[in-house]
Every structure is written in structure tokens, then in C-alpha cells.
Amino acid sequence: MGVLNKAADVAQKASVLGLMSLFGFQVYQIAVKATEYEKGTKNEHAEIMAKINEKVEEDSRYKNSIDKIPDRYDPDDDSYLKKVPKLPGKRS
């Protein structure tokens, strides 16, 4: 029985050592990928927000300028009547 117990102990120690070394190697791989990711990526959200901010500033640049505001009221303009749908029936 002593030989079988010794063989079982060696097999158990070898399997535990193998599993622990596999776990350690996986932790090492994850750590390396995490540090590479931190070094190599840019903040894409900040770039997108900067582009949006540029467009908003560009569009609002002429907001308070008097010469850029169109004359919206024209008493002789009846183009809106052309856009009214023709309804069936006797309406005038």
C-alpha cells in the first residue's frame, strides 16, 4: 500500500502543480494584454465629442449676426398654398 499511496501523492502534486502553473500563465497573459491595451488605445469618445463641438460652434457662429438672419415674412408670398393637399369633396 505504501507504494500506491506514494504514487497517488506524486500524481496529486503533479496535477495541482500543473493546474496552478496553467492558472498563473493565464493571469500573466491577461496582464500583458491589459497593459498593451492601456498603452496603445486612444480615447475615441473624446475625438468624437471634439468633432461634434466643432460643428456646433461652426453652426452657432452666425446665430447672433444680424446680416445672416433671413427675412421670414413676405406678405406677397403665397407658396404655402401650393403645399396644401387637395381634399376630395365640395370645399372651396
Side-chain angles (χ1 to χ4, degrees), residues 5-41:
N5 281 341
K6 198 156 203 105
D9 286 342
V10 169
Q12 180 184 9
K13 288 179 183 180
S15 63
V16 168
L17 180 65
L19 290 174
M20 291 302 264
S21 62
L22 180 65
F23 176 73
F25 183 67
Q26 292 294 323
V27 169
Y28 167 75
Q29 284 183 334
I30 291 171
V32 167
K33 287 190 183 238
T35 55
E36 286 177 4
Y37 180 76
E38 286 179 0
K39 292 178 185 176
T41 59

PDB file of all heavy atoms in Angstrom, residues 5-41:
ATOM      1  N   ASN A   5       0.206   4.627  -2.289  1.00  0.00           N
ATOM      2  CA  ASN A   5      -0.033   5.930  -1.658  1.00  0.00           C
ATOM      3  C   ASN A   5       0.981   6.960  -2.128  1.00  0.00           C
ATOM      4  O   ASN A   5       0.650   8.127  -2.368  1.00  0.00           O
ATOM      5  CB  ASN A   5       0.030   5.812  -0.127  1.00  0.00           C
ATOM      6  CG  ASN A   5      -1.248   5.232   0.450  1.00  0.00           C
ATOM      7  OD1 ASN A   5      -2.288   5.238  -0.209  1.00  0.00           O
ATOM      8  ND2 ASN A   5      -1.165   4.716   1.668  1.00  0.00           N
ATOM      9  N   LYS A   6       2.220   6.544  -2.231  1.00  0.00           N
ATOM     10  CA  LYS A   6       3.274   7.452  -2.680  1.00  0.00           C
ATOM     11  C   LYS A   6       3.020   7.862  -4.139  1.00  0.00           C
ATOM     12  O   LYS A   6       3.175   9.028  -4.502  1.00  0.00           O
ATOM     13  CB  LYS A   6       4.636   6.791  -2.538  1.00  0.00           C
ATOM     14  CG  LYS A   6       5.756   7.787  -2.555  1.00  0.00           C
ATOM     15  CD  LYS A   6       6.943   7.157  -1.835  1.00  0.00           C
ATOM     16  CE  LYS A   6       7.853   8.170  -1.334  1.00  0.00           C
ATOM     17  NZ  LYS A   6       8.046   8.615  -0.111  1.00  0.00           N
ATOM     18  N   ALA A   7       2.602   6.921  -4.970  1.00  0.00           N
ATOM     19  CA  ALA A   7       2.306   7.227  -6.378  1.00  0.00           C
ATOM     20  C   ALA A   7       1.100   8.153  -6.481  1.00  0.00           C
ATOM     21  O   ALA A   7       1.076   9.086  -7.305  1.00  0.00           O
ATOM     22  CB  ALA A   7       2.053   5.942  -7.157  1.00  0.00           C
ATOM     23  N   ALA A   8       0.090   7.933  -5.627  1.00  0.00           N
ATOM     24  CA  ALA A   8      -1.088   8.805  -5.635  1.00  0.00           C
ATOM     25  C   ALA A   8      -0.716  10.217  -5.185  1.00  0.00           C
ATOM     26  O   ALA A   8      -1.191  11.211  -5.747  1.00  0.00           O
ATOM     27  CB  ALA A   8      -2.176   8.225  -4.739  1.00  0.00           C
ATOM     28  N   ASP A   9       0.153  10.324  -4.163  1.00  0.00           N
ATOM     29  CA  ASP A   9       0.597  11.643  -3.706  1.00  0.00           C
ATOM     30  C   ASP A   9       1.367  12.374  -4.804  1.00  0.00           C
ATOM     31  O   ASP A   9       1.182  13.574  -5.024  1.00  0.00           O
ATOM     32  CB  ASP A   9       1.481  11.504  -2.458  1.00  0.00           C
ATOM     33  CG  ASP A   9       0.667  11.160  -1.210  1.00  0.00           C
ATOM     34  OD1 ASP A   9      -0.573  11.377  -1.241  1.00  0.00           O
ATOM     35  OD2 ASP A   9       1.285  10.708  -0.220  1.00  0.00           O
ATOM     36  N   VAL A  10       2.241  11.672  -5.494  1.00  0.00           N
ATOM     37  CA  VAL A  10       3.024  12.281  -6.579  1.00  0.00           C
ATOM     38  C   VAL A  10       2.095  12.722  -7.713  1.00  0.00           C
ATOM     39  O   VAL A  10       2.234  13.819  -8.260  1.00  0.00           O
ATOM     40  CB  VAL A  10       4.101  11.301  -7.091  1.00  0.00           C
ATOM     41  CG1 VAL A  10       4.738  11.812  -8.372  1.00  0.00           C
ATOM     42  CG2 VAL A  10       5.153  11.078  -6.020  1.00  0.00           C
ATOM     43  N   ALA A  11       1.121  11.892  -8.037  1.00  0.00           N
ATOM     44  CA  ALA A  11       0.178  12.244  -9.105  1.00  0.00           C
ATOM     45  C   ALA A  11      -0.658  13.453  -8.706  1.00  0.00           C
ATOM     46  O   ALA A  11      -0.899  14.362  -9.521  1.00  0.00           O
ATOM     47  CB  ALA A  11      -0.724  11.051  -9.414  1.00  0.00           C
ATOM     48  N   GLN A  12      -1.086  13.497  -7.443  1.00  0.00           N
ATOM     49  CA  GLN A  12      -1.879  14.637  -6.978  1.00  0.00           C
ATOM     50  C   GLN A  12      -1.041  15.916  -6.998  1.00  0.00           C
ATOM     51  O   GLN A  12      -1.501  16.967  -7.450  1.00  0.00           O
ATOM     52  CB  GLN A  12      -2.391  14.374  -5.570  1.00  0.00           C
ATOM     53  CG  GLN A  12      -3.235  15.522  -5.030  1.00  0.00           C
ATOM     54  CD  GLN A  12      -3.663  15.325  -3.592  1.00  0.00           C
ATOM     55  OE1 GLN A  12      -3.198  14.411  -2.913  1.00  0.00           O
ATOM     56  NE2 GLN A  12      -4.536  16.187  -3.120  1.00  0.00           N
ATOM     57  N   LYS A  13       0.182  15.851  -6.518  1.00  0.00           N
ATOM     58  CA  LYS A  13       1.053  17.028  -6.502  1.00  0.00           C
ATOM     59  C   LYS A  13       1.362  17.493  -7.929  1.00  0.00           C
ATOM     60  O   LYS A  13       1.404  18.692  -8.200  1.00  0.00           O
ATOM     61  CB  LYS A  13       2.341  16.730  -5.734  1.00  0.00           C
ATOM     62  CG  LYS A  13       2.121  16.625  -4.245  1.00  0.00           C
ATOM     63  CD  LYS A  13       3.403  16.315  -3.506  1.00  0.00           C
ATOM     64  CE  LYS A  13       3.111  16.151  -2.020  1.00  0.00           C
ATOM     65  NZ  LYS A  13       4.307  15.851  -1.250  1.00  0.00           N
ATOM     66  N   ALA A  14       1.562  16.571  -8.824  1.00  0.00           N
ATOM     67  CA  ALA A  14       1.858  16.930 -10.209  1.00  0.00           C
ATOM     68  C   ALA A  14       0.650  17.589 -10.864  1.00  0.00           C
ATOM     69  O   ALA A  14       0.789  18.601 -11.584  1.00  0.00           O
ATOM     70  CB  ALA A  14       2.282  15.698 -11.000  1.00  0.00           C
ATOM     71  N   SER A  15      -0.541  17.062 -10.627  1.00  0.00           N
ATOM     72  CA  SER A  15      -1.735  17.665 -11.241  1.00  0.00           C
ATOM     73  C   SER A  15      -2.022  19.040 -10.650  1.00  0.00           C
ATOM     74  O   SER A  15      -2.378  19.976 -11.367  1.00  0.00           O
ATOM     75  CB  SER A  15      -2.938  16.734 -11.084  1.00  0.00           C
ATOM     76  OG  SER A  15      -3.249  16.551  -9.723  1.00  0.00           O
ATOM     77  N   VAL A  16      -1.860  19.199  -9.328  1.00  0.00           N
ATOM     78  CA  VAL A  16      -2.074  20.510  -8.702  1.00  0.00           C
ATOM     79  C   VAL A  16      -1.038  21.498  -9.215  1.00  0.00           C
ATOM     80  O   VAL A  16      -1.366  22.653  -9.534  1.00  0.00           O
ATOM     81  CB  VAL A  16      -2.033  20.393  -7.158  1.00  0.00           C
ATOM     82  CG1 VAL A  16      -1.969  21.761  -6.506  1.00  0.00           C
ATOM     83  CG2 VAL A  16      -3.244  19.627  -6.662  1.00  0.00           C
ATOM     84  N   LEU A  17       0.203  21.087  -9.311  1.00  0.00           N
ATOM     85  CA  LEU A  17       1.247  21.963  -9.823  1.00  0.00           C
ATOM     86  C   LEU A  17       0.963  22.356 -11.274  1.00  0.00           C
ATOM     87  O   LEU A  17       1.115  23.524 -11.657  1.00  0.00           O
ATOM     88  CB  LEU A  17       2.616  21.274  -9.720  1.00  0.00           C
ATOM     89  CG  LEU A  17       3.813  22.085 -10.222  1.00  0.00           C
ATOM     90  CD1 LEU A  17       4.009  23.310  -9.353  1.00  0.00           C
ATOM     91  CD2 LEU A  17       5.066  21.230 -10.225  1.00  0.00           C
ATOM     92  N   GLY A  18       0.505  21.421 -12.070  1.00  0.00           N
ATOM     93  CA  GLY A  18       0.177  21.719 -13.472  1.00  0.00           C
ATOM     94  C   GLY A  18      -0.984  22.695 -13.594  1.00  0.00           C
ATOM     95  O   GLY A  18      -0.940  23.645 -14.384  1.00  0.00           O
ATOM     96  N   LEU A  19      -2.036  22.473 -12.815  1.00  0.00           N
ATOM     97  CA  LEU A  19      -3.186  23.383 -12.860  1.00  0.00           C
ATOM     98  C   LEU A  19      -2.824  24.774 -12.349  1.00  0.00           C
ATOM     99  O   LEU A  19      -3.271  25.790 -12.905  1.00  0.00           O
ATOM    100  CB  LEU A  19      -4.346  22.794 -12.058  1.00  0.00           C
ATOM    101  CG  LEU A  19      -5.023  21.566 -12.667  1.00  0.00           C
ATOM    102  CD1 LEU A  19      -6.053  21.013 -11.708  1.00  0.00           C
ATOM    103  CD2 LEU A  19      -5.669  21.934 -13.995  1.00  0.00           C
ATOM    104  N   MET A  20      -2.024  24.849 -11.285  1.00  0.00           N
ATOM    105  CA  MET A  20      -1.621  26.157 -10.760  1.00  0.00           C
ATOM    106  C   MET A  20      -0.713  26.893 -11.744  1.00  0.00           C
ATOM    107  O   MET A  20      -0.829  28.109 -11.897  1.00  0.00           O
ATOM    108  CB  MET A  20      -0.913  25.988  -9.411  1.00  0.00           C
ATOM    109  CG  MET A  20      -1.853  25.528  -8.326  1.00  0.00           C
ATOM    110  SD  MET A  20      -3.219  26.655  -8.082  1.00  0.00           S
ATOM    111  CE  MET A  20      -2.581  27.602  -6.749  1.00  0.00           C
ATOM    112  N   SER A  21       0.164  26.177 -12.402  1.00  0.00           N
ATOM    113  CA  SER A  21       1.030  26.834 -13.380  1.00  0.00           C
ATOM    114  C   SER A  21       0.215  27.297 -14.584  1.00  0.00           C
ATOM    115  O   SER A  21       0.477  28.377 -15.143  1.00  0.00           O
ATOM    116  CB  SER A  21       2.162  25.907 -13.814  1.00  0.00           C
ATOM    117  OG  SER A  21       1.632  24.764 -14.451  1.00  0.00           O
ATOM    118  N   LEU A  22      -0.792  26.538 -14.984  1.00  0.00           N
ATOM    119  CA  LEU A  22      -1.677  26.964 -16.074  1.00  0.00           C
ATOM    120  C   LEU A  22      -2.440  28.226 -15.674  1.00  0.00           C
ATOM    121  O   LEU A  22      -2.561  29.169 -16.456  1.00  0.00           O
ATOM    122  CB  LEU A  22      -2.651  25.839 -16.428  1.00  0.00           C
ATOM    123  CG  LEU A  22      -3.638  26.143 -17.563  1.00  0.00           C
ATOM    124  CD1 LEU A  22      -2.891  26.328 -18.875  1.00  0.00           C
ATOM    125  CD2 LEU A  22      -4.662  25.039 -17.676  1.00  0.00           C
ATOM    126  N   PHE A  23      -2.951  28.256 -14.445  1.00  0.00           N
ATOM    127  CA  PHE A  23      -3.647  29.437 -13.940  1.00  0.00           C
ATOM    128  C   PHE A  23      -2.717  30.647 -13.907  1.00  0.00           C
ATOM    129  O   PHE A  23      -3.088  31.749 -14.316  1.00  0.00           O
ATOM    130  CB  PHE A  23      -4.197  29.152 -12.535  1.00  0.00           C
ATOM    131  CG  PHE A  23      -4.856  30.337 -11.903  1.00  0.00           C
ATOM    132  CD1 PHE A  23      -6.094  30.779 -12.337  1.00  0.00           C
ATOM    133  CD2 PHE A  23      -4.230  31.007 -10.870  1.00  0.00           C
ATOM    134  CE1 PHE A  23      -6.705  31.871 -11.751  1.00  0.00           C
ATOM    135  CE2 PHE A  23      -4.822  32.104 -10.275  1.00  0.00           C
ATOM    136  CZ  PHE A  23      -6.061  32.539 -10.715  1.00  0.00           C
ATOM    137  N   GLY A  24      -1.492  30.457 -13.429  1.00  0.00           N
ATOM    138  CA  GLY A  24      -0.516  31.554 -13.387  1.00  0.00           C
ATOM    139  C   GLY A  24      -0.188  32.079 -14.772  1.00  0.00           C
ATOM    140  O   GLY A  24      -0.056  33.291 -14.980  1.00  0.00           O
ATOM    141  N   PHE A  25      -0.057  31.175 -15.737  1.00  0.00           N
ATOM    142  CA  PHE A  25       0.237  31.592 -17.104  1.00  0.00           C
ATOM    143  C   PHE A  25      -0.918  32.382 -17.703  1.00  0.00           C
ATOM    144  O   PHE A  25      -0.714  33.375 -18.410  1.00  0.00           O
ATOM    145  CB  PHE A  25       0.561  30.375 -17.973  1.00  0.00           C
ATOM    146  CG  PHE A  25       0.946  30.714 -19.377  1.00  0.00           C
ATOM    147  CD1 PHE A  25       2.115  31.392 -19.642  1.00  0.00           C
ATOM    148  CD2 PHE A  25       0.123  30.367 -20.438  1.00  0.00           C
ATOM    149  CE1 PHE A  25       2.473  31.717 -20.943  1.00  0.00           C
ATOM    150  CE2 PHE A  25       0.463  30.691 -21.743  1.00  0.00           C
ATOM    151  CZ  PHE A  25       1.648  31.367 -21.987  1.00  0.00           C
ATOM    152  N   GLN A  26      -2.160  31.976 -17.405  1.00  0.00           N
ATOM    153  CA  GLN A  26      -3.328  32.711 -17.896  1.00  0.00           C
ATOM    154  C   GLN A  26      -3.379  34.116 -17.289  1.00  0.00           C
ATOM    155  O   GLN A  26      -3.692  35.085 -17.978  1.00  0.00           O
ATOM    156  CB  GLN A  26      -4.620  31.945 -17.569  1.00  0.00           C
ATOM    157  CG  GLN A  26      -4.770  30.653 -18.318  1.00  0.00           C
ATOM    158  CD  GLN A  26      -4.931  30.871 -19.809  1.00  0.00           C
ATOM    159  OE1 GLN A  26      -5.567  31.808 -20.234  1.00  0.00           O
ATOM    160  NE2 GLN A  26      -4.338  29.988 -20.599  1.00  0.00           N
ATOM    161  N   VAL A  27      -3.083  34.226 -16.001  1.00  0.00           N
ATOM    162  CA  VAL A  27      -3.041  35.537 -15.344  1.00  0.00           C
ATOM    163  C   VAL A  27      -1.970  36.408 -15.994  1.00  0.00           C
ATOM    164  O   VAL A  27      -2.179  37.599 -16.247  1.00  0.00           O
ATOM    165  CB  VAL A  27      -2.804  35.379 -13.830  1.00  0.00           C
ATOM    166  CG1 VAL A  27      -2.495  36.711 -13.176  1.00  0.00           C
ATOM    167  CG2 VAL A  27      -4.011  34.743 -13.172  1.00  0.00           C
ATOM    168  N   TYR A  28      -0.830  35.835 -16.291  1.00  0.00           N
ATOM    169  CA  TYR A  28       0.245  36.572 -16.949  1.00  0.00           C
ATOM    170  C   TYR A  28      -0.202  37.070 -18.328  1.00  0.00           C
ATOM    171  O   TYR A  28       0.033  38.225 -18.692  1.00  0.00           O
ATOM    172  CB  TYR A  28       1.484  35.671 -17.081  1.00  0.00           C
ATOM    173  CG  TYR A  28       2.538  36.217 -17.996  1.00  0.00           C
ATOM    174  CD1 TYR A  28       3.349  37.266 -17.596  1.00  0.00           C
ATOM    175  CD2 TYR A  28       2.723  35.693 -19.281  1.00  0.00           C
ATOM    176  CE1 TYR A  28       4.320  37.783 -18.435  1.00  0.00           C
ATOM    177  CE2 TYR A  28       3.682  36.201 -20.126  1.00  0.00           C
ATOM    178  CZ  TYR A  28       4.479  37.247 -19.699  1.00  0.00           C
ATOM    179  OH  TYR A  28       5.424  37.756 -20.546  1.00  0.00           O
ATOM    180  N   GLN A  29      -0.850  36.215 -19.121  1.00  0.00           N
ATOM    181  CA  GLN A  29      -1.306  36.626 -20.448  1.00  0.00           C
ATOM    182  C   GLN A  29      -2.327  37.757 -20.361  1.00  0.00           C
ATOM    183  O   GLN A  29      -2.269  38.714 -21.139  1.00  0.00           O
ATOM    184  CB  GLN A  29      -1.930  35.439 -21.177  1.00  0.00           C
ATOM    185  CG  GLN A  29      -0.934  34.455 -21.708  1.00  0.00           C
ATOM    186  CD  GLN A  29      -1.612  33.329 -22.475  1.00  0.00           C
ATOM    187  OE1 GLN A  29      -2.772  33.010 -22.224  1.00  0.00           O
ATOM    188  NE2 GLN A  29      -0.874  32.716 -23.392  1.00  0.00           N
ATOM    189  N   ILE A  30      -3.252  37.672 -19.428  1.00  0.00           N
ATOM    190  CA  ILE A  30      -4.259  38.725 -19.269  1.00  0.00           C
ATOM    191  C   ILE A  30      -3.599  40.031 -18.852  1.00  0.00           C
ATOM    192  O   ILE A  30      -3.942  41.110 -19.352  1.00  0.00           O
ATOM    193  CB  ILE A  30      -5.336  38.286 -18.251  1.00  0.00           C
ATOM    194  CG1 ILE A  30      -6.162  37.145 -18.842  1.00  0.00           C
ATOM    195  CG2 ILE A  30      -6.226  39.451 -17.855  1.00  0.00           C
ATOM    196  CD1 ILE A  30      -7.103  36.486 -17.864  1.00  0.00           C
ATOM    197  N   ALA A  31      -2.632  39.969 -17.955  1.00  0.00           N
ATOM    198  CA  ALA A  31      -1.944  41.175 -17.500  1.00  0.00           C
ATOM    199  C   ALA A  31      -1.174  41.834 -18.644  1.00  0.00           C
ATOM    200  O   ALA A  31      -1.185  43.061 -18.786  1.00  0.00           O
ATOM    201  CB  ALA A  31      -0.999  40.838 -16.351  1.00  0.00           C
ATOM    202  N   VAL A  32      -0.521  41.033 -19.470  1.00  0.00           N
ATOM    203  CA  VAL A  32       0.230  41.589 -20.603  1.00  0.00           C
ATOM    204  C   VAL A  32      -0.725  42.261 -21.589  1.00  0.00           C
ATOM    205  O   VAL A  32      -0.469  43.372 -22.058  1.00  0.00           O
ATOM    206  CB  VAL A  32       1.062  40.490 -21.296  1.00  0.00           C
ATOM    207  CG1 VAL A  32       1.582  40.959 -22.637  1.00  0.00           C
ATOM    208  CG2 VAL A  32       2.204  40.062 -20.397  1.00  0.00           C
ATOM    209  N   LYS A  33      -1.848  41.623 -21.903  1.00  0.00           N
ATOM    210  CA  LYS A  33      -2.815  42.217 -22.829  1.00  0.00           C
ATOM    211  C   LYS A  33      -3.425  43.492 -22.264  1.00  0.00           C
ATOM    212  O   LYS A  33      -3.677  44.443 -22.991  1.00  0.00           O
ATOM    213  CB  LYS A  33      -3.904  41.217 -23.187  1.00  0.00           C
ATOM    214  CG  LYS A  33      -3.424  40.141 -24.115  1.00  0.00           C
ATOM    215  CD  LYS A  33      -4.573  39.328 -24.633  1.00  0.00           C
ATOM    216  CE  LYS A  33      -4.014  38.229 -25.508  1.00  0.00           C
ATOM    217  NZ  LYS A  33      -4.515  38.251 -26.824  1.00  0.00           N
ATOM    218  N   ALA A  34      -3.665  43.528 -20.952  1.00  0.00           N
ATOM    219  CA  ALA A  34      -4.251  44.711 -20.328  1.00  0.00           C
ATOM    220  C   ALA A  34      -3.281  45.878 -20.384  1.00  0.00           C
ATOM    221  O   ALA A  34      -3.684  47.011 -20.655  1.00  0.00           O
ATOM    222  CB  ALA A  34      -4.643  44.416 -18.886  1.00  0.00           C
ATOM    223  N   THR A  35      -2.008  45.645 -20.158  1.00  0.00           N
ATOM    224  CA  THR A  35      -1.046  46.743 -20.209  1.00  0.00           C
ATOM    225  C   THR A  35      -0.827  47.201 -21.650  1.00  0.00           C
ATOM    226  O   THR A  35      -0.627  48.389 -21.883  1.00  0.00           O
ATOM    227  CB  THR A  35       0.292  46.335 -19.574  1.00  0.00           C
ATOM    228  OG1 THR A  35       0.768  45.143 -20.202  1.00  0.00           O
ATOM    229  CG2 THR A  35       0.143  46.110 -18.092  1.00  0.00           C
ATOM    230  N   GLU A  36      -0.854  46.299 -22.613  1.00  0.00           N
ATOM    231  CA  GLU A  36      -0.739  46.700 -24.017  1.00  0.00           C
ATOM    232  C   GLU A  36      -1.942  47.526 -24.443  1.00  0.00           C
ATOM    233  O   GLU A  36      -1.820  48.485 -25.190  1.00  0.00           O
ATOM    234  CB  GLU A  36      -0.633  45.465 -24.918  1.00  0.00           C
ATOM    235  CG  GLU A  36       0.699  44.780 -24.866  1.00  0.00           C
ATOM    236  CD  GLU A  36       0.721  43.524 -25.719  1.00  0.00           C
ATOM    237  OE1 GLU A  36      -0.296  43.244 -26.402  1.00  0.00           O
ATOM    238  OE2 GLU A  36       1.733  42.825 -25.699  1.00  0.00           O
ATOM    239  N   TYR A  37      -3.122  47.172 -23.965  1.00  0.00           N
ATOM    240  CA  TYR A  37      -4.343  47.902 -24.312  1.00  0.00           C
ATOM    241  C   TYR A  37      -4.296  49.324 -23.769  1.00  0.00           C
ATOM    242  O   TYR A  37      -4.679  50.262 -24.450  1.00  0.00           O
ATOM    243  CB  TYR A  37      -5.564  47.170 -23.747  1.00  0.00           C
ATOM    244  CG  TYR A  37      -6.870  47.850 -24.060  1.00  0.00           C
ATOM    245  CD1 TYR A  37      -7.422  47.766 -25.330  1.00  0.00           C
ATOM    246  CD2 TYR A  37      -7.544  48.583 -23.103  1.00  0.00           C
ATOM    247  CE1 TYR A  37      -8.618  48.389 -25.629  1.00  0.00           C
ATOM    248  CE2 TYR A  37      -8.738  49.209 -23.394  1.00  0.00           C
ATOM    249  CZ  TYR A  37      -9.268  49.108 -24.650  1.00  0.00           C
ATOM    250  OH  TYR A  37     -10.447  49.732 -24.944  1.00  0.00           O
ATOM    251  N   GLU A  38      -3.792  49.492 -22.542  1.00  0.00           N
ATOM    252  CA  GLU A  38      -3.701  50.831 -21.964  1.00  0.00           C
ATOM    253  C   GLU A  38      -2.725  51.704 -22.731  1.00  0.00           C
ATOM    254  O   GLU A  38      -2.937  52.896 -22.879  1.00  0.00           O
ATOM    255  CB  GLU A  38      -3.272  50.753 -20.504  1.00  0.00           C
ATOM    256  CG  GLU A  38      -4.351  50.262 -19.570  1.00  0.00           C
ATOM    257  CD  GLU A  38      -3.873  50.177 -18.134  1.00  0.00           C
ATOM    258  OE1 GLU A  38      -2.699  50.502 -17.871  1.00  0.00           O
ATOM    259  OE2 GLU A  38      -4.671  49.791 -17.286  1.00  0.00           O
ATOM    260  N   LYS A  39      -1.652  51.141 -23.212  1.00  0.00           N
ATOM    261  CA  LYS A  39      -0.636  51.918 -23.907  1.00  0.00           C
ATOM    262  C   LYS A  39      -1.047  52.284 -25.333  1.00  0.00           C
ATOM    263  O   LYS A  39      -0.728  53.353 -25.815  1.00  0.00           O
ATOM    264  CB  LYS A  39       0.678  51.139 -23.975  1.00  0.00           C
ATOM    265  CG  LYS A  39       1.342  50.956 -22.643  1.00  0.00           C
ATOM    266  CD  LYS A  39       2.602  50.132 -22.796  1.00  0.00           C
ATOM    267  CE  LYS A  39       3.227  49.833 -21.453  1.00  0.00           C
ATOM    268  NZ  LYS A  39       4.382  48.959 -21.568  1.00  0.00           N
ATOM    269  N   GLY A  40      -1.774  51.396 -25.998  1.00  0.00           N
ATOM    270  CA  GLY A  40      -1.985  51.561 -27.425  1.00  0.00           C
ATOM    271  C   GLY A  40      -3.279  52.215 -27.860  1.00  0.00           C
ATOM    272  O   GLY A  40      -3.437  52.539 -29.021  1.00  0.00           O
ATOM    273  N   THR A  41      -4.230  52.439 -26.981  1.00  0.00           N
ATOM    274  CA  THR A  41      -5.517  52.946 -27.437  1.00  0.00           C
ATOM    275  C   THR A  41      -5.630  54.439 -27.206  1.00  0.00           C
ATOM    276  O   THR A  41      -5.026  55.004 -26.296  1.00  0.00           O
ATOM    277  CB  THR A  41      -6.679  52.249 -26.686  1.00  0.00           C
ATOM    278  OG1 THR A  41      -6.531  52.492 -25.296  1.00  0.00           O
ATOM    279  CG2 THR A  41      -6.694  50.773 -26.968  1.00  0.00           C
TER     280      THR A  41
END
